[in-house]
Amino acid sequence: MPASPWFELGPEAREELKSLVWRVLHSALAQDGSRRLVLPPAPESPALLQPAATFVTLHHKGELRGCIGSTQADTQLWQDACEHAYGSAFEDRRFPPLRKHELKHLSVEISILSALQPLENLGEQALLATLRPGIDGLLLHQYGRRALFLPSVWDALPEPETFLQALKYKGGWPPDYWDSTIEIARFQTLVVR
């Protein structure tokens, strides 16, 4: 993966971050009935102590199994990722809580978000013309409705039009809806698998 100009994370820090996230999942599944978040001790790696916003996506046998995250970098990277790994496994309302037998075929993807870059709303066609497939994540917000797609969603929806329509649908807007009051922000991610 190419280095990110806004966030650096070397191979050792990446491995340590993945290890911490897996420890959280194993710890929660080892508890009898009272699955709760137990954070491991803080790492020593300075890179993991930086504030960062993350999303943690779980896949089971290649299918989405949970995805939870935040856009605000107000927690240290390792803790933010651990909390969202737990949330993805046990608190994503779209899925039942993770079970032990699923670990065998589970994969974890940690997306570290850049700062949100607000975009002027010049209309849907202008937005479509500026989107960079495979690079940009997108956040739409209007009157309490909010929808976000990570850049990895481009893998399933490679065309800007279908990407944006699906994002609007996710936020509860009709696919053909657009309004000048929609707030738009884009971002990039550094992905740790």
Side-chain angles (χ1 to χ4, degrees), residues 8-193:
E8 295 297 330
L9 201 61
E12 288 180 11
R14 288 172 185 247
E15 289 304 314
E16 188 173 9
L17 182 60
K18 289 190 291 188
S19 174
L20 291 165
V21 162
W22 280 107
R23 284 172 62 185
V24 164
L25 297 177
H26 283 281
S27 170
L29 288 168
Q31 298 168 33
D32 291 327
S34 67
R35 292 194 181 112
R36 58 188 175 84
L37 172 61
V38 177
L39 289 173
E44 293 183 15
S45 169
L48 299 182
L49 301 177
Q50 301 176 75
T54 67
F55 270 75
V56 177
T57 306
L58 304 180
H59 287 94
H60 182 256
K61 295 183 178 179
E63 297 293 320
L64 181 66
R65 182 59 179 81
C67 184
I68 299 277
S70 67
T71 57
Q72 298 299 316
D74 52 13
T75 307
Q76 292 179 342
L77 168 58
W78 75 274
Q79 183 176 339
D80 200 71
C82 286
E83 290 173 355
H84 291 130
Y86 178 87
S88 295
F90 303 107
E91 296 173 344
D92 188 328
R93 294 182 194 154
R94 299 170 293 176
F95 303 96
L98 186 71
R99 294 171 304 227
K100 280 184 187 179
H101 75 271
E102 293 178 283
L103 283 175
K104 182 177 180 184
H105 299 287
L106 194 73
S107 64
V108 176
E109 183 175 284
I110 304 160
S111 298
I112 304 166
L113 277 64
S114 68
L116 295 179
Q117 176 192 2
L119 299 177
E120 186 177 357
N121 185 340
L122 300 173
E124 185 172 13
Q125 290 308 311
L127 174 60
L128 289 170
T130 62
L131 282 178
R132 298 172 297 177
I135 298 171
D136 291 332
L138 193 62
L139 172 67
L140 301 179
H141 182 259
Q142 181 194 40
Y143 307 133
R145 287 186 180 176
R146 184 176 165 102
L148 178 145
F149 272 166
L150 296 170
S152 59
V153 174
W154 288 105
D155 294 343
L157 302 168
E159 297 299 322
E161 292 83 3
T162 54
F163 183 90
L164 185 55
Q165 285 177 351
L167 182 59
K168 288 189 290 184
Y169 179 79
K170 179 182 180 184
W173 296 283
D176 60 351
Y177 175 79
W178 193 259
D179 189 86
S180 62
T181 62
I182 295 175
E183 296 173 32
I184 310 164
R186 73 175 163 194
F187 59 91
Q188 289 77 50
T189 56
L190 175 66
V191 178
V192 177
R193 289 185 178 93

